[in-house]
Amino acid sequence: MGLLTELGVTKAQQTTLHPLVGRIFVHTLDHETFLRLPEHVAVPPTVPVTYQAHLQGHPDLPRWLRYTQRSPHHPGFLYGTPTPGDRGRQVIEVIAYNRDNFDTTRQRLVLLIGDPEGPLIPYQAEFLVRSHDVEEVLPSTLASRFLTALGGLWEPGELQLLNITSALDRGGRVPLPIEGRKEGVYIKVGSASPFSTCLKMVASPDSHARCAQGQPPLLSCYDTLAPHFRVDWCNVSLVDKSVPEPADEVPTPGDGILEHDPFFCPPTEAPDRDFLTDALVTLLVPLLVALLLTLLLAYVMCCRREGRLKRDLATSDIQMVHHDTIRGNTEELRQMAASREVPRPLSTLPMFNVRTGERLPPQVDSAQVPLILDQH
């Protein structure tokens, strides 16, 4: 452990880089760059280091630059393609964290973005490679191998790597954790030479129609990218910038007066209108409808009642006599129960003892005496 890195908090290291507009920029964040070890000591592979990068004075990276790292045991990558609006000087601050001893160190990357030299690259093609992740294509070795293999499908000429984008940044799904499944990566390549007949056939409308039906596209040449690169030929896009786009016409300001148009004849005078009738119809019609509904409801509830007399007439005499007899007998029993002077049974007294026959004196408040003597 004594040989492990000590990520210091001393003065930040500074590195100057020169990205080019329209060209892919890749910078590898190696553990060796941040770990201060003796020259004869190799970096242990078990040291986990993570990175955090941001534009100086801002919380995040510029919009053209991305950061990725597969795990703390793998190197990190800063990659992207600057646009013409990004020309100039940009400073990227990178902070490395040692997850073993939580030491930190800082590095400043000074990016001097300029224009590329050489001819323009009007012919650009983008391929979706499903057999690799973006971290596998960013190293220069694999990227050069892809350009070499693609040279068999393009006209002779120098191929330039323009952009690399993860398929997840284009709306792709995270693959299942199954061996052999990759996230996929979009690789944009440009050249000054025109597209080959093979590439034009792949991007033709007939090929797109076959892809829509689930069939492979038309490929008239040998796939030199296989088997090292599994390209989705249904997602190949070609861009031809050799023909300049017509410039947009700048509108000239006029005097503000419309020219005479025979098809547009606005009315010169607007006749007066009386809105009293419309207002009365709008207000009175709902009120009349509400009044009619109120009268109908009052008639149904008040004027259509059957009444007590009709109810008695509809009831048979035998049922009425039976009901009246029950009612009379009930009243008579109630009067007899209220006027009797028979003493109450001992069992109904509040504190009657069944065994001894004793009862409490009358002056005792029965509400304060418990029902069971054992509760004292």
Side-chain angles (χ1 to χ4, degrees):
M1 294 297 294
L3 297 179
L4 290 181
T5 171
E6 292 184 1
L7 298 179
V9 291
T10 58
K11 185 178 179 180
Q13 306 175 14
Q14 181 169 321
T15 305
T16 303
L17 302 174
H18 299 272
L20 299 178
V21 174
R23 303 292 190 273
I24 186 66
F25 166 77
V26 179
H27 179 69
T28 306
L29 303 176
D30 291 323
H31 295 356
E32 295 85 351
T33 307
F34 294 87
L35 303 180
R36 296 182 301 166
L37 292 176
E39 297 180 357
H40 62 279
V41 178
V43 177
T46 58
V47 178
V49 179
T50 57
Y51 306 93
Q52 182 181 3
H54 63 90
L55 182 64
Q56 187 178 28
H58 297 78
D60 206 349
L61 291 171
R63 59 182 180 178
W64 66 271
L65 194 61
R66 296 183 179 92
Y67 164 76
T68 184
Q69 185 182 15
R70 178 59 58 179
S71 70
H73 298 283
H74 292 81
F77 294 95
L78 290 173
Y79 68 100
T81 302
T83 60
D86 298 320
R87 294 189 185 95
R89 183 177 182 270
Q90 295 181 356
V91 179
I92 306 297
E93 293 185 352
V94 182
I95 303 175
Y97 299 89
N98 188 337
R99 295 303 177 180
D100 278 345
N101 52 19
F102 298 101
D103 287 339
T104 61
T105 188
R106 187 185 303 269
Q107 185 181 27
R108 298 174 68 232
L109 302 178
V110 180
L111 306 182
L112 303 179
I113 304 174
D115 293 325
E117 299 179 356
L120 299 177
I121 303 179
Y123 302 97
Q124 302 176 6
E126 190 175 53
F127 305 88
L128 173 58
V129 181
R130 296 191 178 275
S131 58
H132 291 76
D133 293 332
V134 64
E135 296 88 356
E136 300 173 350
V137 183
L138 289 177
S140 58
T141 304
L142 194 60
S144 301
R145 188 183 304 173
F146 180 82
L147 295 179
T148 303
L150 184 62
L153 301 177
W154 207 320
E155 296 292 339
E158 184 181 1
L159 299 180
Q160 295 284 344
L161 196 60
L162 302 182
N163 194 11
I164 296 177
T165 308
S166 174
L168 300 182
D169 297 335
R170 298 285 190 89
R173 294 184 177 182
V174 178
L176 296 174
I178 302 176
E179 185 179 0
R181 296 290 184 92
K182 300 292 184 177
E183 298 174 357
V185 58
Y186 285 89
I187 302 178
K188 180 180 286 188
V189 180
S191 176
S193 303
F195 300 118
S196 63
T197 306
C198 179
L199 293 179
K200 292 180 180 179
M201 185 176 296
V202 170
S204 63
D206 296 338
S207 296
H208 291 299
R210 291 173 59 89
C211 291
Q213 298 176 359
Q215 301 178 4
L218 301 175
L219 190 62
S220 61
C221 55
Y222 177 71
D223 186 4
T224 57
L225 295 173
H228 302 288
F229 300 95
R230 184 165 55 90
V231 178
D232 187 357
W233 293 105
C234 290
N235 284 278
V236 176
S237 59
L238 305 180
V239 178
D240 186 2
K241 296 184 178 181
S242 59
V243 180
E245 298 180 357
D248 297 334
E249 296 182 0
V250 179
T252 56
D255 53 2
I257 301 177
L258 297 177
E259 299 179 358
H260 176 69
D261 188 358
F263 300 99
F264 178 71
C265 299
T268 56
E269 296 181 358
D272 297 336
R273 290 187 58 185
D274 186 9
F275 295 96
L276 179 61
T277 305
D278 298 339
L280 294 177
V281 171
T282 304
L283 296 177
L284 294 180
V285 171
L287 292 177
L288 291 177
V289 173
L291 180 61
L292 291 177
L293 293 178
T294 304
L295 295 177
L296 180 61
L297 181 62
Y299 172 75
V300 171
M301 296 183 62
C302 302
C303 302
R304 298 288 296 177
R305 301 184 64 179
E306 296 180 353
R308 185 175 179 180
L309 179 60
K310 184 176 181 180
R311 183 197 63 186
D312 295 342
L313 294 177
T315 306
S316 61
D317 296 338
I318 298 176
Q319 185 177 357
M320 293 294 294
V321 172
H322 180 67
H323 175 73
D324 186 66
T325 303
I326 295 175
R327 183 178 180 183
N329 296 337
T330 304
E331 294 294 336
E332 184 179 359
L333 291 175
R334 289 178 178 176
Q335 293 177 4
M336 293 174 60
S339 61
R340 66 183 179 179
E341 297 179 357
V342 179
R344 296 176 58 184
L346 296 177
S347 60
T348 61
L349 294 177
M351 287 303 299
F352 173 73
N353 194 335
V354 181
R355 298 177 181 177
T356 62
E358 296 179 358
R359 59 179 178 177
L360 295 176
Q363 64 271 14
V364 178
D365 188 4
S366 60
Q368 303 296 331
V369 178
L371 298 178
I372 302 176
L373 295 178
D374 296 338
Q375 295 181 355
H376 280 286

